[in-house]
């Protein structure tokens, strides 16, 4: 793998009519590039390599990813969540099963994950199918969370309309009284994980003059054996 390099800083901001000029914002990516011969045999191993490098580079919350789904009317929705596990089976995140993303996935399990590691000029884009993880796996993760986060999962009916912030805070306070320190917090029945099994994974490396490297693993079956082919995409 080539060394991790950072994108150049933005030039001084330009204003037009009192507003920042987004069109004038440019970075020149500096990188040794990404070649086919540098890739690991499968995307999960390649992701593990890049993920470790991103962590070593000091990026804040390198496990933050944008999850995009589509509702029953074909309208897309995106939100940032935190990756909480990955291996050869897929990428795992947790949420309220009553949330908008969960409702979308119930009707259409196809999902996109985007890891926007812009400070080091990289992105990873995953396309795949989401399935709920086993409740036992959810329970292990839930009880590893800080106590406040456990109670927060109970306090919030995620994506539901609420009258005020006070309503949310009051729900949390009631839960503090119900489950005092030392009292185990049970896993909410409407809360759990999804595992996204990848169908394709693109590794994007910024290059000079916008001639970026984009290498995509695509899952395929040949002779009854599942594997991956790698294709290069134009920048």
């Amino acid at each position: 793998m080539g060394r991790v390099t950072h994108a150049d800083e933005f030039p001084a901001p330009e204003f037009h009519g009192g507003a920042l000029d987004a069109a004038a914002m440019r970075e020149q990516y500096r990188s040794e590039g990404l070649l086919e011969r540098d890739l690991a045999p499968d995307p999960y191993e390649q992701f593990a390599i890049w993920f470790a490098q991103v962590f070593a580079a000091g990026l804040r919350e390198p496990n933050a990813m944008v999850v995009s789904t589509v509702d029953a009317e074909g309208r897309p929705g995106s939100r940032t969540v935190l990756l909480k596990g990955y291996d050869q089976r897929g990428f795992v995140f947790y949420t309220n099963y009553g949330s908008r993303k969960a409702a979308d996935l119930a009707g259409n399990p196809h999902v996109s994950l985007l890891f926007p590691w812009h400070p080091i000029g990289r992105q990873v884009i995953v396309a795949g199918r989401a399935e709920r993880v086993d409740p036992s796996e959810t329970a292990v993760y839930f009880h590893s969370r800080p106590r406040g986060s456990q109670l927060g999962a109970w306090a919030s009916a995620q994506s539901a309309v609420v009258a005020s912030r006070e309503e949310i805070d009051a729900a949390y306070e009631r839960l503090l009284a119900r489950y005092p320190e030392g009292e185990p917090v049970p896993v909410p029945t409407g809360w759990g994980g999804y595992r996204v099994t990848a169908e394709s994974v693109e590794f994007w490396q910024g290059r000079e003059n916008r001639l970026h490297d984009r290498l995509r693993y695509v899952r395929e079956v040949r002779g009854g054996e599942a594997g991956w082919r790698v294709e290069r995409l134009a920048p």
Side-chain angles (χ1 to χ4, degrees):
M1 290 295 299
R3 61 185 176 88
V4 176
T5 54
H6 291 252
D8 289 339
E9 297 295 329
F10 275 141
E14 297 184 16
F15 290 84
H16 289 283
L20 276 171
D21 184 3
M25 294 180 177
R26 292 182 177 85
E27 291 192 17
Q28 186 68 276
Y29 294 102
R30 296 172 287 112
S31 168
E32 293 180 351
L34 181 63
L35 301 177
E36 287 82 348
R37 66 171 180 264
D38 297 327
L39 293 178
D42 68 73
Y44 297 115
E45 184 178 344
Q46 182 62 39
F47 179 85
I49 293 170
W50 271 24
F51 192 56
Q53 291 176 346
V54 171
F55 177 79
L59 268 68
R60 185 178 181 183
E61 292 194 313
N63 59 329
M65 60 184 184
V66 178
V67 176
S68 298
T69 57
V70 177
D71 69 13
E73 283 73 43
R75 296 173 298 195
S78 298
R79 71 289 290 166
T80 300
V81 305
L82 297 178
L83 175 73
K84 289 300 179 180
Y86 64 94
D87 54 26
Q88 293 292 324
R89 296 174 297 167
F91 302 87
V92 177
F93 66 92
Y94 291 84
T95 189
N96 188 306
Y97 286 147
S99 64
R100 176 185 170 182
K101 69 178 93 53
D104 289 352
L105 292 173
N108 183 346
H110 294 284
V111 64
S112 173
L113 311 178
L114 168 64
F115 294 86
W117 298 328
H118 303 310
I120 61 170
R122 286 180 174 175
Q123 300 180 71
V124 176
I125 305 167
V126 179
R129 293 175 60 90
E131 294 183 350
R132 292 189 182 189
V133 305
D134 187 89
S136 61
E137 187 174 347
T138 286
V140 170
Y141 170 69
F142 181 81
H143 292 301
S144 75
R145 286 160 58 98
R147 183 176 182 79
S149 296
Q150 294 180 28
L151 295 174
W154 277 98
S156 172
Q158 194 176 79
S159 301
V161 176
V162 294
S164 66
R165 174 70 201 195
E166 288 74 20
E167 181 179 322
I168 298 171
D169 293 339
Y172 185 81
E173 291 299 323
R174 289 194 296 271
L175 287 160
L176 277 175
R178 182 178 179 183
Y179 300 107
E181 193 67 39
E183 183 77 17
V185 180
V187 181
T189 55
W191 189 94
Y194 285 97
R195 176 173 286 105
V196 177
T197 301
E199 296 171 346
S200 70
V201 185
E202 178 185 333
F203 291 85
W204 183 102
Q205 174 69 69
R207 296 291 301 275
E208 292 182 347
N209 304 316
R210 292 298 187 260
L211 297 177
H212 313 305
D213 284 323
R214 299 174 60 192
L215 296 182
R216 181 171 63 188
Y217 293 82
V218 179
R219 188 168 180 80
E220 63 180 1
V221 178
R222 290 184 179 179
E225 294 290 330
W228 300 92
R229 75 172 187 272
V230 174
E231 51 193 22
R232 177 173 287 272
L233 305 179

